Amino acid sequence: MRISANTGIVIGSTLFALASSAFLYLLPPSPIDRNLLRGTFYFLKGHAYQIPVKFLDGELGAARLYEDDKLLGPANSDLEEIAAKGGGRFQLFRDNKSFFGPVLLLSTSDNTDPNTNGRKYHLR
């Protein structure tokens, strides 16, 4: 029995796809960090940026913001203070006008753009 070249390619590709799928199935799943803020930080003014928060465990006023592993604050700062002074100040509030849920206003520890500074932000 002779197999044509095209049939051999189809069979080989199918076997490769099945073997790859089996290998990926055997890998343990990576944990999802629900506390990691994902998406675009929208520039507001001064040093202030805002981002909608999808997952929040606990009270708005009790939330803590981390830049990589560094705790930021002071928490519950006023918008004008966040914009003018920055330095890691932040505020978490419920917004019914733009995002219809919790929104985080923040400034980074060194007043850089959180979209480009290479750090990760966690809300716990």
Side-chain angles (χ1 to χ4, degrees), residues 27-121:
L27 289 176
S30 61
I32 296 173
D33 186 358
R34 289 179 46 135
N35 299 319
L36 178 65
L37 295 172
R38 293 177 177 83
T40 302
F41 293 87
Y42 300 98
F43 176 74
L44 201 55
K45 65 179 181 176
H47 302 298
Y49 290 82
Q50 67 181 4
I51 187 169
V53 177
K54 294 179 183 170
F55 302 106
L56 181 64
D57 299 327
E59 302 280 329
L60 291 177
R64 295 171 300 187
L65 178 63
Y66 292 85
E67 183 180 68
D68 290 332
D69 293 327
K70 179 181 178 184
L71 181 63
L72 295 181
N76 304 316
S77 296
D78 180 64
L79 168 61
E80 296 305 320
E81 195 172 291
I82 296 170
K85 296 179 182 177
R89 289 170 174 79
F90 71 94
Q91 176 189 44
L92 188 64
F93 66 96
R94 192 159 305 279
D95 181 21
N96 295 324
K97 297 176 187 169
S98 302
F99 297 109
F100 302 103
V103 174
L104 176 66
L105 295 175
L106 78 144
S107 60
T108 62
S109 61
D110 59 356
N111 298 333
T112 56
D113 184 344
N115 295 301
T116 59
N117 67 12
R119 298 185 204 115
K120 294 182 180 179
Y121 294 88

